[in-house]
Amino acid sequence: MERLVCLAVGYVCGLLQTGYIVGKMNHIDIRKQGSGNAGTTNALRVIGWKAGILTFFGDVLKCVVAVVITCLLFRGSDCLPLLAMYAGAGVTLGHNFPFYMNFKGGKGIAVMAGLVAANSFWCLPESLLMIPVTLAFFLVPVIITRYISVGSLMAYTAFLIEMILAGQRGMLDMEPARLYELYILLFLMTALAFYRHRANIGRLMSGTENKFGAKKKE
């Protein structure tokens, strides 16, 4: 029951489609422009830097809020990091598949950034390293390749590895069964991120993926 509550809280928070709202503020339906995605990258390319930044931080914030609500509802639980991850999974589902937008949302990368921020406080100060490490796994590939999709998937994979290492080192303070459940849940979220980027992966393989800063290819 606790897990379902966390998923529900997360899904409701995830329904706040920042990219769509920012687009409407600029008299644009972000779903009908560019890639048709309601996330940060498309907002950045279609509307501009300010819209991209607003979309990113809005999507990060809704994940952090969901985790905070979860921590308040279940404070004292012996599996709080796991419940927080369920909340993050709910936000990801709400962000990617909002029912009122015909289940057409974003790809969940900014939501993952919110999860990184929220999970960096379980074992201070060491856990704070999660933020710069994940950021590096995003920025370095983007700087080298200029493909945002590559950096996004590298960052998500890095987050999965970081959480497994944190759990195995005892930083999450949970029994093994709960830890493995968290690993599986986060693995499924990572797999979903790759699935949502399947078109990008196809373009990368064919050499037609749009580079950051370049005009969008037809």
Side-chain angles (χ1 to χ4, degrees):
M1 179 59 72
E2 291 178 341
R3 292 160 176 75
L4 290 177
V5 170
C6 294
L7 279 172
V9 168
Y11 187 82
V12 170
C13 290
L15 291 177
L16 178 63
Q17 292 291 314
T18 315
Y20 178 76
I21 295 171
V22 171
K24 284 299 184 180
M25 290 170 58
N26 288 273
H27 311 290
I28 293 174
D29 187 342
I30 195 71
R31 300 170 301 169
K32 298 178 181 179
Q33 300 287 333
S35 66
N37 186 268
T40 299
T41 302
N42 200 36
L44 176 66
R45 286 173 175 161
V46 172
I47 311 175
W49 280 98
K50 291 182 180 179
I53 292 172
L54 282 174
T55 300
F56 176 79
F57 282 105
D59 289 343
V60 168
L61 183 60
K62 67 188 181 187
C63 185
V64 173
V65 168
V67 172
V68 169
I69 292 174
T70 296
C71 290
L72 291 175
L73 287 175
F74 299 105
R75 59 184 179 275
S77 171
D78 60 354
C79 62
L80 201 51
L82 174 61
L83 297 179
M85 193 61 68
Y86 271 100
V91 177
T92 302
L93 293 175
H95 176 79
N96 290 0
F97 310 108
F99 71 89
Y100 66 95
M101 292 173 61
N102 295 319
F103 302 97
K104 187 178 181 181
K107 296 180 180 177
I109 300 304
V111 172
M112 179 273 296
L115 265 179
V116 173
N119 280 278
S120 64
F121 291 93
W122 295 126
C123 185
L124 296 171
E126 185 178 0
S127 56
L128 283 174
L129 289 173
M130 194 176 297
I131 295 176
V133 170
T134 309
L135 182 61
F137 271 89
F138 172 77
L139 287 178
V140 172
V142 171
I143 291 171
I144 293 174
T145 68
R146 291 175 58 202
Y147 292 131
I148 291 180
S149 55
V150 173
S152 299
L153 294 176
M154 288 289 290
Y156 220 120
T157 303
F159 178 51
L160 168 63
I161 295 172
E162 288 162 10
M163 289 300 293
I164 292 175
L165 291 175
Q168 294 304 108
R169 296 182 62 189
M171 294 171 62
L172 302 181
D173 193 25
M174 291 193 301
E175 61 184 37
R178 302 278 176 75
L179 283 175
Y180 297 144
E181 184 178 350
L182 184 149
Y183 302 158
I184 293 171
L185 178 60
L186 186 50
F187 173 81
L188 292 175
M189 292 166 64
T190 305
L192 177 61
F194 274 81
Y195 175 77
R196 294 289 286 173
H197 282 81
R198 63 193 183 281
N200 303 84
I201 294 171
R203 289 193 295 270
L204 284 167
M205 294 178 69
S206 64
T208 58
E209 174 72 327
N210 191 51
K211 290 189 175 183
F212 180 68
K215 292 185 178 180
K216 183 174 175 57
K217 297 179 180 179
E218 299 294 333

